Amino acid sequence: MGTMTEGTAVLLVDSYSTKCSKCGKGTRIEDTHHTRLMSGWGTPDPEARPCGARFVAISTRRLEYTVEFLNELRPDLPAYAAGKVPRDLTT
């Protein structure tokens, strides 16, 4: 069984999924911490575990997604356009 780590992460929004920037695994867009996995198109790895990081911002790798769109998804998190997340934001 894996253990959850502490730290912070960015919630990364894509076309059909959201991922945690810390561990790269799928997550639910409404979660404040990476405590649940959201499966993608395939069968999730039975050994996969969420990392437990706290989401401190929302961003995307898709250039067409605007900051306004991201703010609508999660108004409680600061939103950053693709490639604009400050490096020291996550731990």
Side-chain angles (χ1 to χ4, degrees):
M1 291 289 231
T3 59
M4 288 190 184
T5 62
E6 295 186 15
T8 58
V10 176
L11 186 62
L12 296 173
V13 177
D14 203 347
S15 295
Y16 299 101
S17 65
T18 52
K19 291 185 179 181
C20 171
S21 70
K22 187 168 183 91
C23 69
K25 294 183 175 87
T27 186
R28 296 182 181 265
I29 197 163
E30 68 272 13
D31 289 351
T32 60
H33 291 72
H34 193 197
T35 56
R36 298 186 289 175
L37 290 180
M38 182 70 169
S39 62
W41 289 100
T43 304
D45 179 351
E47 298 300 315
R49 301 285 181 263
C51 68
R54 178 175 53 91
F55 295 118
V56 295
I58 185 169
S59 189
T60 183
R61 293 191 176 113
R62 301 188 65 86
L63 295 176
E64 68 270 20
Y65 287 0
T66 64
V67 169
E68 292 78 19
F69 172 74
L70 297 171
N71 278 325
E72 288 177 19
L73 294 175
R74 286 293 299 266
D76 60 315
L77 293 175
Y80 295 93
K84 302 295 183 186
V85 177
R87 290 181 187 255
D88 61 349
L89 189 62
T90 60
T91 57

